[in-house]
Amino acid sequence: MSTTGLPQGAVPKLERPGPLRDRVYEALLELITTRALQPGQHLVESELAGHLGVSRQPVREALQRLNTDGWVDLRPAQGAFVHEPTEEEADQLLTVRTLLEAEAARLAAANAGAAAIAVLEEMCAEGERAVAADDVDGAVAMNARLHAKIMELAGNAVLAELAAQVDRRVRWYYTPVARQRGQRSWTEHRELIAAIAGRDERRATEIMRAHTEHTRKMYHEREK
């Protein structure tokens, strides 16, 4: 598949000056994470360079780095392709995510104050508005922000660092099921916020564990 299938305006031109190699990497990673570039899609250097408004060299370097990081597969005599995650890869990643997020929810329940709860409630409301408008990208982005906020409220730097390592891939796996999860996901978020607000560490842990497990199971049950 060609990269020319990208939606009009989906790829902004990168501004100069700056470390183009890193900026091209981030731009391509965002397109992969949001699935504007689909798993298995052929990545043509010249087309990507044209979309991004750069030369082919930083694109080539970015693709090599994406290959090292597991986002792109470089195949001899064929070129670069967006990595297609296996069911096992997804299961392992989402299982680890459950462990990290459940502990974050427990710590957030122990630490969060009224101001933080208000922020979570507003994020939840915004996510619900995105679902109502069938704005999948907006819902996915707000889901990531809400979970990141809970991780921040946990107040554990090591936990946050580990979570940051899997965050992009969580978004990648969540995007295909975001519409199916729909309002149910945000109802679970409401229940989670209520548990955090009530400083109920056990309840917050249970809700987050069930919440993340629902996503993991739905990913495996999604339509192929």
Side-chain angles (χ1 to χ4, degrees), residues 121-202:
E121 289 175 342
E122 177 51 37
M123 287 180 171
C124 194
E126 191 169 337
E128 290 168 336
R129 289 192 289 270
V131 170
D134 197 30
D135 177 5
V136 173
D137 289 342
V140 170
M142 188 50 58
N143 180 75
R145 284 183 58 194
L146 188 147
H147 280 265
K149 183 63 177 179
I150 292 172
M151 188 62 64
E152 175 190 325
L153 295 175
N156 186 310
V158 175
L159 188 66
E161 182 179 353
L162 292 172
Q165 293 177 25
V166 303
D167 176 66
R168 263 333 212 314
R169 291 190 188 276
V170 168
R171 287 177 59 195
W172 195 31
Y173 296 134
Y174 181 68
T175 297
V177 301
R179 182 174 278 114
Q180 293 168 268
R181 288 286 276 131
Q183 183 56 48
R184 171 71 183 276
S185 178
W186 295 93
T187 298
E188 293 165 5
H189 284 147
R190 285 284 180 193
E191 294 171 353
L192 176 61
I193 294 169
I196 293 173
R199 294 191 173 277
D200 189 335
E201 297 178 37
R202 182 185 60 81

Side-chain angles (χ1 to χ4, degrees), residues 11-85:
V11 188
K13 296 293 188 294
L14 299 181
E15 298 178 1
R16 300 170 185 268
L20 276 181
R21 175 175 52 194
D22 294 342
R23 298 178 70 187
V24 169
Y25 172 90
E26 285 296 328
L28 293 179
L29 181 53
E30 184 65 15
L31 291 170
I32 291 171
T33 302
T34 59
R35 295 190 178 238
L37 293 172
Q38 291 284 324
Q41 186 166 342
H42 187 202
L43 303 175
V44 181
E45 286 181 9
S46 59
E47 293 182 358
L48 292 172
H51 280 302
L52 296 171
V54 299
S55 68
R56 292 176 63 175
Q57 182 61 30
V59 172
R60 183 177 300 114
E61 293 173 348
L63 290 176
Q64 291 171 345
R65 182 178 167 191
L66 288 164
N67 172 248
T68 300
D69 292 346
W71 292 100
V72 165
D73 297 327
L74 296 179
R75 304 174 189 170
Q78 295 184 53
F81 296 81
V82 178
H83 180 66
E84 296 185 72

